[in-house]
Amino acid sequence: MADERVAALKEPIDVAEYLFKRLHEVGVRSVHGVPGDYNLVALDYLPDCGLKWVGSVNELNAAYAADGYARVSKFAALITTFGVGELSAINGVAGSFSEHIPVVHIVGCPSTISQRDGMLLHHTLGNGDFNVFANMSAQISCEVAKLNNPAEIANQIDHALKTCWLRSQPIYIMLPTDMVQSKIEGARLATPIDMSEPENDPEAEDFVVAEVLKNLKEAKHPVILVDACAIRHRVVEEVHQLVDKTNLPVFVTPMGKGAVDENHPNFGGVYAGSGSHPAQAKEIIESSDLLLTIGALKSDFNTAGFSYRTSQLNSIDFHSTHCIVRYSTYPGVSMRGVLRKVIDQVDPSTLSAQPSPVVENEVEENLDDSPTITQAWFWPRVGEFMIPKDVIITETGTANFGIWDTRFPEGVTALSQVLWGSIGWSVGAAQGAALAAKDAGNGRRTILFVGDGSFQLTAQELSTMIRHKLNPIIFLICNDGFTIERFIHGMEAEYNDIHTWKNKDLVKVFGGEDTCKTFTIKTKDELNELLADEDFQAAQTLQFVELYMPKEDAPRALVMTAEASARNNAKLE
């Protein structure tokens, strides 16, 4: 029967080749992961499909790197082996699920025969259950595809990839060893996967559009607030068209940073409740009688400890799967179609548009007489160092909160993990982001800001950056431990301390002594001199900067959010 099936194929192709050519089709050029005996034969197919094997130092870092790669290139692939490998990656994949990042997780697994017979194999729990790990990953995947039947595999792959794109979340593909070289129909590759979004029901969409237009016309102080899912679900172009057409003031949340050109005259800064910058942003948003939110994710850290003071009665929320007009929810009406019709139909002359506050990098305002580098001075200062189209990665903690006070140049892509908040994520993500920029060949600089505590969790990924000749600028903030945890609880607690490393020496340890540059910066003058250096600005090689700041200094937004988090943790009911 199998021979008859293969004979009926127009263009027989191996499953692994089909899968990897589809990955290349959707934009993947480098594949992250760690080799294991259940995926080795599949890995042999990568070069002939136009894909480069990255090879991270462990699966967790590989998952973080795939996450960063997808945020820059829009799609990523991760390959691990059954059980031990995939479980090491699961935290990173869960972060991608939480934050709406399209990552394809391919797991090489025992053959279908071994699974059928319940064989006692290595990397299993020894109980004959070969679905247990897939069941775990089902909770953090928008699609699970077990490639067990050659007659179904091509459909499964195409459907899973489309789902990954439309949902902007990870998918899990289980690839048995005996399916890797099984033949399926290759003629399908001549037709690209249809990634187009389903159209909204016209009647429902038109009703929502009419409601939006009516509320806009009646409002005296309407404003726009852009959040993470505007980026994740690819409506940034519509956002800018809406701002240009309506001339309304526009703000971003911390997770939405980078979604709006921060040099646009209508850009008013970061709104995060009590953590807003500039301070006028909070006043304008919370006094508005109509707030248009686009892609909102109102998590605790994204709202500076749930410190929003806005009313749903005055809000219209646009989401990827529904829209909410005041207290009425319209399921199945996605934001893209609604936004496009609003842009086409709105009459700017009928709108009341107030001016936006001026947003600047407030370097002089935060300058003191001390040579010490303070958080308040540092973040506006590095804002002046950034150039258009930089890729900026900030670790959850000090850097993530400090960047709120940095005004970006045009075209900056900002990566942060505000919702999932896994310590150490940024180092792997920076590797993936830098690789995505290199694969695109666009010369974009990649700049990472990470604390010394976070760095210790994933420092090995520095080795992968050196191996692939990536050129990130790494600012390692040395302030003696886990600053964000100190401000939540235990300023002097031993559990928030770390052992002091000679961090920049790791560049030498990992083989970058002859190709990379390292710096130790302890004063404002030293930092100013470094940032003004043309070779440093050019970022032609990996540059590692040990940057020293006081232990008990933190960005103002971190202090406020940490206090709110401590209060939430202490609540009894």
Side-chain angles (χ1 to χ4, degrees):
M1 292 293 292
D3 290 341
E4 292 179 7
R5 183 189 62 80
V6 173
L9 300 176
K10 297 178 182 178
E11 299 178 20
I13 189 173
D14 291 0
V15 167
E17 184 178 358
Y18 185 94
L19 173 58
F20 294 153
K21 284 188 173 180
R22 282 303 200 196
L23 288 179
H24 189 276
E25 175 190 307
V26 299
V28 176
R29 294 296 179 268
S30 296
V31 177
H32 290 88
V34 175
D37 59 341
Y38 294 128
N39 65 32
L40 294 178
V41 175
L43 298 184
D44 288 339
Y45 286 77
L46 290 172
D48 290 339
C49 297
L51 301 177
K52 177 173 60 181
W53 175 246
V54 178
S56 292
V57 293
N58 60 55
E59 291 88 354
L60 176 60
N61 284 8
Y64 289 157
D67 183 287
Y69 190 98
R71 292 177 190 238
V72 175
S73 71
K74 309 307 181 187
F75 237 117
L78 167 70
I79 300 180
T80 62
T81 198
F82 186 73
V84 293
E86 60 181 304
L87 294 188
S88 292
I90 202 168
N91 172 40
V93 177
S96 297
F97 185 85
S98 172
E99 301 229 343
H100 294 257
I101 308 298
V103 173
V104 180
H105 185 191
I106 302 165
V107 177
C109 67
S111 70
T112 57
I113 306 303
S114 299
Q115 294 184 52
R116 183 196 66 190
D117 294 343
M119 295 182 68
L120 189 62
L121 299 179
H122 63 286
H123 298 343
T124 73
L125 299 178
N127 59 3
D129 186 352
F130 289 86
N131 290 309
V132 61
F133 307 125
N135 292 340
M136 292 180 186
S137 286
Q139 305 302 311
I140 55 167
S141 306
C142 62
E143 180 86 6
V144 172
K146 300 176 183 179
L147 308 186
N148 296 327
N149 183 351
E152 301 173 354
I153 286 176
N155 276 328
Q156 286 178 289
I157 291 171
D158 292 358
H159 176 75
L161 290 175
K162 180 173 184 175
T163 302
C164 183
W165 178 249
L166 294 181
R167 290 278 300 274
S168 195
Q169 287 179 314
I171 58 173
Y172 178 97
I173 295 179
M174 196 170 176
L175 179 58
T177 54
D178 59 334
M179 290 294 107
V180 170
Q181 296 176 304
S182 184
K183 301 295 183 182
I184 59 175
E185 183 56 76
R188 296 171 59 108
L189 292 173
T191 305
I193 301 172
D194 179 10
M195 296 293 197
S196 60
E197 296 179 11
E199 298 290 331
N200 290 329
D201 175 76
E203 186 175 343
E205 181 178 83
D206 287 342
F207 182 83
V208 173
V209 169
E211 288 292 296
V212 173
L213 294 173
K214 178 171 74 71
N215 281 276
L216 271 172
K217 186 175 181 179
E218 294 174 352
K220 301 299 182 184
H221 301 291
V223 297
I224 300 170
L225 178 63
V226 186
D227 209 333
C229 281
I231 304 171
R232 309 292 194 263
H233 293 279
R234 305 170 292 276
V235 294
V236 169
E237 181 179 350
E238 285 82 0
V239 166
H240 282 93
Q241 290 174 355
L242 181 66
V243 173
D244 289 339
K245 182 76 176 286
T246 63
N247 199 36
L248 296 179
V250 60
F251 302 82
V252 296
T253 68
M255 288 183 72
K257 239 181 117 55
V260 175
D261 175 9
E262 299 191 4
N263 291 286
H264 195 289
N266 294 53
F267 177 70
V270 176
Y271 175 67
S274 59
S276 302
H277 179 78
Q280 303 97 302
K282 172 179 168 62
E283 178 183 348
I284 292 174
I285 290 276
E286 296 180 359
S287 65
S288 169
D289 58 351
L290 182 63
L291 176 61
L292 305 181
T293 73
I294 304 175
L297 277 172
K298 299 178 184 179
S299 72
D300 51 354
F301 281 10
N302 202 32
T303 61
F306 300 118
S307 61
Y308 275 21
R309 294 295 178 266
T310 60
S311 169
Q312 187 59 45
L313 184 62
N314 295 332
S315 299
I316 297 177
D317 304 324
F318 302 91
H319 294 282
S320 61
T321 58
H322 65 285
C323 291
I324 305 173
V325 180
R326 301 187 188 273
Y327 287 106
S328 298
T329 300
Y330 300 92
V333 180
S334 64
M335 58 184 168
R336 187 186 309 278
V338 174
L339 288 171
R340 284 177 173 170
K341 283 189 176 179
V342 169
I343 293 164
D344 289 341
Q345 298 178 25
V346 68
D347 181 357
S349 67
T350 65
L351 305 182
S352 175
Q354 59 186 317
S356 301
V358 176
V359 182
E360 299 288 350
N361 284 310
E362 298 173 351
V363 181
E364 294 301 320
E365 293 86 339
N366 290 288
L367 181 64
D368 57 33
D369 296 331
S370 166
T372 302
I373 300 171
T374 63
Q375 298 280 349
W377 176 81
F378 175 72
W379 296 105
R381 178 64 188 90
V382 294
E384 294 187 332
F385 170 71
M386 295 173 186
I387 61 175
K389 300 188 183 303
D390 275 347
V391 180
I392 308 297
I393 304 99
T394 52
E395 174 67 35
T396 299
T398 299
N400 181 55
F401 290 92
I403 206 72
W404 299 8
D405 294 347
T406 300
R407 194 193 77 170
F408 289 157
E410 181 182 3
V412 164
T413 298
L415 280 63
S416 62
Q417 202 189 52
V418 177
L419 178 54
W420 186 243
S422 186
I423 295 177
W425 161 86
S426 69
V427 182
Q431 181 263 297
L435 185 58
K438 182 179 179 180
D439 284 353
N442 51 30
R444 302 178 73 182
R445 300 191 309 183
T446 302
I447 306 174
L448 166 64
F449 299 95
V450 59
D452 51 4
S454 299
F455 179 70
Q456 290 194 2
L457 275 77
T458 47
Q460 315 99 309
E461 207 55 28
L462 185 61
S463 170
T464 311
M465 298 180 196
I466 296 170
R467 176 186 176 194
H468 287 278
K469 297 180 174 57
L470 303 178
N471 302 330
I473 300 172
I474 300 173
F475 288 99
L476 181 69
I477 300 170
C478 300
N479 54 3
D480 296 328
F482 298 111
T483 301
I484 185 171
E485 313 294 4
R486 293 191 192 281
F487 278 87
I488 293 175
H489 181 79
M491 179 60 72
E492 299 297 335
E494 182 180 8
Y495 48 72
N496 286 327
D497 295 337
I498 60 171
H499 184 64
T500 301
W501 287 4
K502 295 181 178 179
N503 291 288
K504 70 176 186 179
D505 288 351
L506 290 175
V507 173
K508 177 180 179 181
V509 169
F510 292 139
E513 180 180 14
D514 296 330
T515 57
C516 305
K517 297 179 181 179
T518 61
F519 307 88
T520 298
I521 302 295
K522 295 186 176 182
T523 69
K524 292 187 181 77
D525 286 344
E526 289 174 348
L527 181 61
N528 280 328
E529 183 178 353
L530 179 66
L531 298 183
D533 183 88
E534 291 184 0
D535 287 339
F536 184 77
Q537 293 173 5
Q540 295 300 306
T541 186
L542 185 148
Q543 300 179 109
F544 191 97
V545 183
E546 277 188 342
L547 187 79
Y548 286 83
M549 293 189 184
K551 171 183 172 181
E552 296 185 12
D553 185 24
R556 53 167 197 86
L558 184 152
V559 176
M560 286 183 286
T561 306
E563 291 173 349
S565 182
R567 289 193 297 271
N568 285 333
N569 291 344
K571 286 181 179 178
L572 298 178
E573 58 181 48

